[in-house]
Amino acid sequence: MKSGIYIVATPIGNLNDISFRAKEVLNEADVIACEDTRVTKKLFSLLGLNHKKTFIAFHDHNEDEKAQILIDYVNQGLAVAQVSDAGSPLISDPGFHLIKQCHRQGVDVYAIPGPCALICALQLSGLPTNSFMFAGFIPNKDKARADLFNKLKDIETTLVFYETANRLLKTLHTAADVFKDREIAVAREITKIYEECRNGTARELIAHFEENEPKGEIVLMVAPPDENQKTQIDVEALLREELQKQSLKGAVKALVEQYGLNKNEVYDLALKIKNE
Ligand code: SAM
């Protein structure tokens, strides 16, 4: 096996989803970098893989510090496999800093593809897949969540987020305020026994999940805006209103942040209004 860093995807719920190549690489690698050594050792045991090798805990809190150690192993001629607890490493999971360092230091990197919750969710959703934007985990704080949704709401792609069961209802309430009647899909427990994908407006989904407590792992997706649903905003009117309330800089910042507008254009317009 060639030395290098191997990014290895593992199952997100169904053990049979491990690929032949992933098994081969995990079996033969000298070092396994994993988020939680107990979780990965259990996977090795379930798959009957050779676990007589070095397991290194590699997670969000020590990624920078451990990245160089892993690269040093590769420079000694060893093969290092990186896995997360489940699914595809680097996708809302550790690994980005390691791979960036590999590029800087000319270290070979290989991707061993496999399960990824966001891709499976999109496939199940019935929402457009020709163009989508993955925006990671939804913030827990109400304002941060509303700000994020407002920033993304006019983007003409399907939006994909990771979410947890205990926050789903709060998130759907924010979604109802921002996305109104747009179609939303909630994919749960993908590849597991209770896998489901439920579609509806945010209000319909709230009604459902108030009756049926959401459980398990969740991907939430929002359909792109229809032409007639796109926010039509009168930037000039809003800017005039803001300029009554605050400084030019503050007014520009407020509009840019709230509506995702081009800063220079809003600034020029604000100057024009001020100089009238
Ligand atoms: N890197 C992983 C991937 O992309 O497959 C995701 C890791 S992230 C820390 C975990 C989140 O992925 C969960 O909170 C959930 O939003 C989503 N997820 C993982 N497995 C899932 C599953 N079986 N069904 C639905 N969502 C899942």
Side-chain angles (χ1 to χ4, degrees):
M1 186 178 190
K2 283 199 279 189
S3 71
I5 301 281
Y6 291 76
I7 306 164
V8 184
T10 56
I12 56 169
N14 187 325
L15 197 62
N16 287 338
D17 291 333
I18 191 84
S19 74
F20 284 120
R21 195 159 164 238
K23 274 174 86 170
E24 199 174 72
V25 168
L26 294 176
N27 215 24
E28 290 178 19
D30 305 291
V31 177
I32 307 294
C34 49
E35 284 185 271
D36 182 334
T37 51
R38 288 163 306 180
V39 170
T40 302
K41 280 182 179 168
K42 188 168 167 211
L43 179 73
F44 268 63
S45 138
L46 290 169
L47 294 170
L49 300 175
N50 166 23
H51 53 81
K52 294 214 171 87
K53 52 186 77 200
T54 307
F55 286 79
I56 293 187
F58 177 73
H59 42 69
D60 284 336
H61 306 294
N62 70 4
E63 180 167 350
D64 278 343
E65 168 205 334
K66 289 286 164 73
Q68 193 56 48
I69 296 174
L70 299 177
I71 289 174
D72 290 345
Y73 278 125
V74 176
N75 288 334
Q76 288 162 28
L78 301 181
V80 176
Q82 193 228 327
V83 296
S84 38
D85 282 349
S88 293
L90 283 89
I91 309 300
S92 289
D93 265 338
F96 163 68
H97 295 290
L98 168 65
I99 304 309
K100 199 167 171 185
Q101 276 306 319
C102 289
H103 282 231
R104 286 196 178 135
Q105 300 183 35
V107 169
D108 289 333
V109 178
Y110 305 96
I112 314 298
C116 180
L118 82 96
I119 299 297
C120 298
L122 269 169
Q123 290 164 332
L124 294 171
S125 71
L127 301 185
T129 52
N130 57 327
S131 164
F132 63 87
M133 178 180 167
F134 173 59
F137 276 100
I138 296 171
N140 188 22
K141 296 228 163 78
D142 293 348
K143 183 173 180 321
R145 186 168 54 243
D147 286 351
L148 176 68
F149 284 177
N150 273 309
K151 196 166 118 191
L152 301 179
K153 74 172 183 235
D154 287 330
I155 297 179
E156 292 180 25
T157 66
T158 297
L159 302 173
V160 187
F161 305 92
Y162 283 163
E163 184 51 298
T164 58
N166 58 340
R167 297 182 192 173
L168 179 67
L169 275 166
K170 272 202 325 187
T171 289
L172 286 172
H173 278 282
T174 311
D177 292 342
V178 177
F179 298 118
K180 313 285 183 209
D181 286 338
R182 266 157 77 172
E183 186 178 359
I184 291 184
V186 173
R188 264 189 347 102
E189 293 291 86
I190 303 166
T191 75
K192 303 184 199 175
I193 297 172
Y194 296 108
E195 170 177 309
E196 72 160 355
C197 183
R198 186 163 290 274
N199 291 35
T201 63
R203 294 259 165 246
E204 287 165 350
L205 290 167
I206 289 169
H208 171 79
F209 285 112
E210 273 176 352
E211 288 295 306
N212 306 274
E213 188 196 341
K215 289 188 183 138
E217 299 196 275
I218 288 172
V219 182
L220 184 137
M221 293 151 285
V222 183
D226 286 344
E227 276 305 308
N228 57 8
Q229 280 182 332
K230 257 194 278 168
T231 330
Q232 298 295 331
I233 55 164
D234 184 340
V235 181
E236 187 171 337
L238 288 167
L239 200 47
R240 283 182 190 279
E241 216 174 284
E242 280 301 320
L243 286 167
Q244 306 280 337
K245 293 190 253 167
Q246 52 177 323
S247 68
L248 184 140
K249 214 172 143 198
V252 171
K253 187 165 181 271
L255 257 72
V256 166
E257 282 180 2
Q258 187 168 0
Y259 298 103
L261 302 170
N262 180 299
K263 192 174 168 190
N264 291 336
E265 283 173 17
V266 180
Y267 191 78
D268 288 346
L269 184 59
L271 274 181
K272 205 178 110 203
I273 296 171
K274 272 271 175 204
N275 293 330
E276 276 173 2

